Amino acid sequence: MILYILQFYLQLVGVTIDTHTDRQFTQLQLVNKKSELVITGTSTQHDWSAKALSMQGKTNITLDGNKLRDFSWLEVSVRVSSLKSEKSKLDENMHTKLRIEAFPEITFKLSNATLHDDHIQLTGNLTVAGITKPINTSAVYSVFSNEIALKGEFKVNMTDFNIEPPSLFFGTLKTGNAVHVSYSLIFN
């Protein structure tokens, strides 16, 4: 009886212990200050990049000691206003193209995860400017005593999300359609 009361209490604070094994189920929060997400692209004049300065996220994992056994849930959101480059005009144009007023966040929600020895194959829905598309990405993972790190990358096209690649100066400066997203996400 005491074991069931202890399990109930631990569930309330986000940790569950399976009484049949040493596995630990837990929900972890994204650590914004330790995490990084960078978006890069090309143009006819120069390559560009923008970094997300404000992200939130949660994940549910199952650990067996320091070994990841299950990865059942992941949600990450990025505030569009936090996407910053080294050029304020680029930021302004990017925020406009992403329709920041109507859609202040970019989100990813996991639909399936396949664990491998050193990485996780993630399938989920990416929502950008109100348009949701499925994406796949492979993330290398590391488990520390109280943290899990996911590091990976994927590519999308702006037009997949009904975003017309920007052009300036009567079309002499054109932005490439493909966008590369790299991430290093830390949860604890």
mmCIF file of all heavy atoms in Angstrom, residues 37-54:
data_model
loop_
_atom_site.group_PDB
_atom_site.id
_atom_site.type_symbol
_atom_site.label_atom_id
_atom_site.label_comp_id
_atom_site.label_asym_id
_atom_site.label_seq_id
_atom_site.Cartn_x
_atom_site.Cartn_y
_atom_site.Cartn_z
ATOM 1 N N LEU A 37 18.768 26.703 -31.675
ATOM 2 C CA LEU A 37 18.130 26.393 -32.940
ATOM 3 C C LEU A 37 18.543 27.478 -33.917
ATOM 4 O O LEU A 37 18.383 28.667 -33.623
ATOM 5 C CB LEU A 37 16.607 26.361 -32.793
ATOM 6 C CG LEU A 37 15.858 25.922 -34.045
ATOM 7 C CD1 LEU A 37 14.763 24.936 -33.694
ATOM 8 C CD2 LEU A 37 15.287 27.108 -34.796
ATOM 9 N N VAL A 38 19.115 27.061 -35.059
ATOM 10 C CA VAL A 38 19.615 28.008 -36.054
ATOM 11 C C VAL A 38 19.001 27.670 -37.405
ATOM 12 O O VAL A 38 18.981 26.507 -37.820
ATOM 13 C CB VAL A 38 21.153 27.973 -36.147
ATOM 14 C CG1 VAL A 38 21.659 28.921 -37.226
ATOM 15 C CG2 VAL A 38 21.786 28.316 -34.802
ATOM 16 N N ILE A 39 18.493 28.686 -38.071
ATOM 17 C CA ILE A 39 17.919 28.557 -39.407
ATOM 18 C C ILE A 39 18.870 29.245 -40.374
ATOM 19 O O ILE A 39 19.272 30.386 -40.139
ATOM 20 C CB ILE A 39 16.527 29.217 -39.468
ATOM 21 C CG1 ILE A 39 15.593 28.590 -38.435
ATOM 22 C CG2 ILE A 39 15.946 29.128 -40.871
ATOM 23 C CD1 ILE A 39 14.299 29.346 -38.237
ATOM 24 N N THR A 40 19.236 28.542 -41.452
ATOM 25 C CA THR A 40 20.136 29.131 -42.450
ATOM 26 C C THR A 40 19.520 28.996 -43.835
ATOM 27 O O THR A 40 18.719 28.094 -44.097
ATOM 28 C CB THR A 40 21.526 28.468 -42.433
ATOM 29 O OG1 THR A 40 21.383 27.065 -42.668
ATOM 30 C CG2 THR A 40 22.231 28.696 -41.114
ATOM 31 N N GLY A 41 19.921 29.901 -44.709
ATOM 32 C CA GLY A 41 19.452 29.879 -46.084
ATOM 33 C C GLY A 41 20.429 30.597 -46.993
ATOM 34 O O GLY A 41 21.494 31.053 -46.562
ATOM 35 N N THR A 42 20.056 30.688 -48.240
ATOM 36 C CA THR A 42 20.918 31.309 -49.242
ATOM 37 C C THR A 42 20.170 32.441 -49.938
ATOM 38 O O THR A 42 18.947 32.546 -49.858
ATOM 39 C CB THR A 42 21.349 30.282 -50.306
ATOM 40 O OG1 THR A 42 20.173 29.790 -50.964
ATOM 41 C CG2 THR A 42 22.118 29.134 -49.692
ATOM 42 N N SER A 43 20.926 33.264 -50.624
ATOM 43 C CA SER A 43 20.356 34.272 -51.519
ATOM 44 C C SER A 43 21.360 34.488 -52.640
ATOM 45 O O SER A 43 22.486 33.981 -52.579
ATOM 46 C CB SER A 43 20.069 35.587 -50.781
ATOM 47 O OG SER A 43 21.253 36.307 -50.549
ATOM 48 N N THR A 44 20.951 35.231 -53.640
ATOM 49 C CA THR A 44 21.859 35.494 -54.760
ATOM 50 C C THR A 44 23.024 36.396 -54.351
ATOM 51 O O THR A 44 24.034 36.448 -55.042
ATOM 52 C CB THR A 44 21.103 36.137 -55.942
ATOM 53 O OG1 THR A 44 20.381 37.275 -55.461
ATOM 54 C CG2 THR A 44 20.142 35.145 -56.577
ATOM 55 N N GLN A 45 22.908 37.055 -53.209
ATOM 56 C CA GLN A 45 23.969 37.956 -52.762
ATOM 57 C C GLN A 45 24.820 37.360 -51.642
ATOM 58 O O GLN A 45 26.038 37.482 -51.668
ATOM 59 C CB GLN A 45 23.367 39.286 -52.315
ATOM 60 C CG GLN A 45 24.421 40.352 -52.055
ATOM 61 C CD GLN A 45 23.783 41.686 -51.767
ATOM 62 O OE1 GLN A 45 22.984 41.799 -50.851
ATOM 63 N NE2 GLN A 45 24.145 42.695 -52.550
ATOM 64 N N HIS A 46 24.183 36.708 -50.645
ATOM 65 C CA HIS A 46 24.929 36.161 -49.512
ATOM 66 C C HIS A 46 24.075 35.143 -48.769
ATOM 67 O O HIS A 46 22.840 35.169 -48.851
ATOM 68 C CB HIS A 46 25.368 37.274 -48.545
ATOM 69 C CG HIS A 46 24.234 38.093 -48.036
ATOM 70 N ND1 HIS A 46 23.365 37.652 -47.057
ATOM 71 C CD2 HIS A 46 23.784 39.322 -48.404
ATOM 72 C CE1 HIS A 46 22.455 38.593 -46.824
ATOM 73 N NE2 HIS A 46 22.675 39.602 -47.634
ATOM 74 N N ASP A 47 24.725 34.242 -48.055
ATOM 75 C CA ASP A 47 23.991 33.324 -47.186
ATOM 76 C C ASP A 47 23.523 34.088 -45.950
ATOM 77 O O ASP A 47 24.068 35.140 -45.620
ATOM 78 C CB ASP A 47 24.894 32.162 -46.757
ATOM 79 C CG ASP A 47 25.230 31.243 -47.919
ATOM 80 O OD1 ASP A 47 24.601 31.362 -48.987
ATOM 81 O OD2 ASP A 47 26.124 30.399 -47.755
ATOM 82 N N TRP A 48 22.521 33.573 -45.300
ATOM 83 C CA TRP A 48 21.978 34.231 -44.109
ATOM 84 C C TRP A 48 21.694 33.186 -43.042
ATOM 85 O O TRP A 48 21.571 31.999 -43.329
ATOM 86 C CB TRP A 48 20.715 35.021 -44.437
ATOM 87 C CG TRP A 48 19.616 34.183 -45.017
ATOM 88 C CD1 TRP A 48 19.402 33.908 -46.338
ATOM 89 C CD2 TRP A 48 18.607 33.476 -44.289
ATOM 90 N NE1 TRP A 48 18.314 33.088 -46.482
ATOM 91 C CE2 TRP A 48 17.808 32.794 -45.242
ATOM 92 C CE3 TRP A 48 18.295 33.346 -42.939
ATOM 93 C CZ2 TRP A 48 16.718 32.005 -44.876
ATOM 94 C CZ3 TRP A 48 17.212 32.555 -42.575
ATOM 95 C CH2 TRP A 48 16.441 31.904 -43.538
ATOM 96 N N SER A 49 21.604 33.640 -41.791
ATOM 97 C CA SER A 49 21.236 32.750 -40.686
ATOM 98 C C SER A 49 20.488 33.554 -39.625
ATOM 99 O O SER A 49 20.671 34.757 -39.500
ATOM 100 C CB SER A 49 22.458 32.068 -40.073
ATOM 101 O OG SER A 49 23.260 32.997 -39.403
ATOM 102 N N ALA A 50 19.656 32.839 -38.889
ATOM 103 C CA ALA A 50 18.926 33.446 -37.780
ATOM 104 C C ALA A 50 18.888 32.433 -36.645
ATOM 105 O O ALA A 50 18.778 31.229 -36.878
ATOM 106 C CB ALA A 50 17.511 33.827 -38.203
ATOM 107 N N LYS A 51 18.979 32.926 -35.438
ATOM 108 C CA LYS A 51 18.992 32.077 -34.253
ATOM 109 C C LYS A 51 17.736 32.331 -33.431
ATOM 110 O O LYS A 51 17.305 33.476 -33.294
ATOM 111 C CB LYS A 51 20.239 32.406 -33.417
ATOM 112 C CG LYS A 51 20.436 31.513 -32.228
ATOM 113 C CD LYS A 51 21.749 31.849 -31.522
ATOM 114 C CE LYS A 51 21.942 30.953 -30.326
ATOM 115 N NZ LYS A 51 23.180 31.234 -29.616
ATOM 116 N N ALA A 52 17.161 31.255 -32.893
ATOM 117 C CA ALA A 52 16.001 31.384 -32.010
ATOM 118 C C ALA A 52 16.483 31.693 -30.596
ATOM 119 O O ALA A 52 17.254 30.926 -30.023
ATOM 120 C CB ALA A 52 15.183 30.093 -32.014
ATOM 121 N N LEU A 53 16.030 32.791 -30.045
ATOM 122 C CA LEU A 53 16.450 33.197 -28.705
ATOM 123 C C LEU A 53 15.453 32.797 -27.629
ATOM 124 O O LEU A 53 15.774 32.846 -26.444
ATOM 125 C CB LEU A 53 16.682 34.710 -28.662
ATOM 126 C CG LEU A 53 17.703 35.247 -29.673
ATOM 127 C CD1 LEU A 53 17.811 36.757 -29.567
ATOM 128 C CD2 LEU A 53 19.060 34.583 -29.478
ATOM 129 N N SER A 54 14.240 32.384 -28.033
ATOM 130 C CA SER A 54 13.221 31.993 -27.061
ATOM 131 C C SER A 54 12.491 30.741 -27.542
ATOM 132 O O SER A 54 11.778 30.787 -28.552
ATOM 133 C CB SER A 54 12.221 33.135 -26.851
ATOM 134 O OG SER A 54 11.221 32.735 -25.939
#
